[in-house]
Amino acid sequence: AVVSTQSTGAINRVCYDTMTGDSTRWITCLQPGIDFRGATLVSSTSFTSHWECLIWCLNTANCRAFTYTASSKTCDLKEREDGNGRAEHSDAISLNLGCMYHDS
């Protein structure tokens, strides 16, 4: 299935801004150089940024986290926060959705 990140992204951005009052909070939750291993819900190689990966995760039922790998343009949505564990990976960037909704 083809996912239109442009149309769904705008809707989620408005919902997220309204819900939290802080549209930039997701930036502080990014974990550069970290790969959440396993617990992959679905994966796609059609993404050009971690922002698009976040939007897809927000639009996907049961998505709890994601790992985006820039070199392969791969977005791996995770069914568990932190997947099955963390590993260092210089080309990966991960985000746990729980971080976005809780005070650090």
Side-chain angles (χ1 to χ4, degrees):
V2 175
V3 177
S4 172
T5 57
Q6 290 179 352
S7 61
T8 56
I11 293 167
N12 270 329
R13 183 67 181 244
V14 170
C15 291
Y16 183 71
D17 288 353
T18 301
M19 195 168 49
T20 66
D22 184 3
S23 62
T24 60
R25 182 171 175 97
W26 69 274
I27 293 171
T28 63
C29 294
L30 289 172
Q31 298 179 45
I34 297 296
D35 182 1
F36 294 158
R37 300 285 187 172
T40 301
L41 184 64
V42 64
S43 182
S44 176
T45 58
S46 64
F47 291 84
T48 59
S49 72
H50 55 272
W51 172 241
E52 288 180 349
C53 198
L54 169 62
I55 292 169
W56 190 34
C57 186
L58 290 169
N59 279 292
T60 302
N62 300 316
C63 183
R64 303 288 181 256
F66 70 82
T67 293
Y68 174 73
T69 307
S71 60
S72 61
K73 297 183 179 181
T74 301
C75 177
D76 295 317
L77 302 187
K78 306 297 179 173
E79 61 186 358
R80 290 190 197 119
E81 295 181 355
D82 301 341
N84 288 333
R86 300 163 180 247
E88 290 185 17
H89 187 294
S90 63
D91 197 32
I93 188 164
S94 296
L95 184 140
N96 177 330
L97 289 185
C99 172
M100 295 172 62
Y101 303 109
H102 301 293
D103 292 330
S104 300

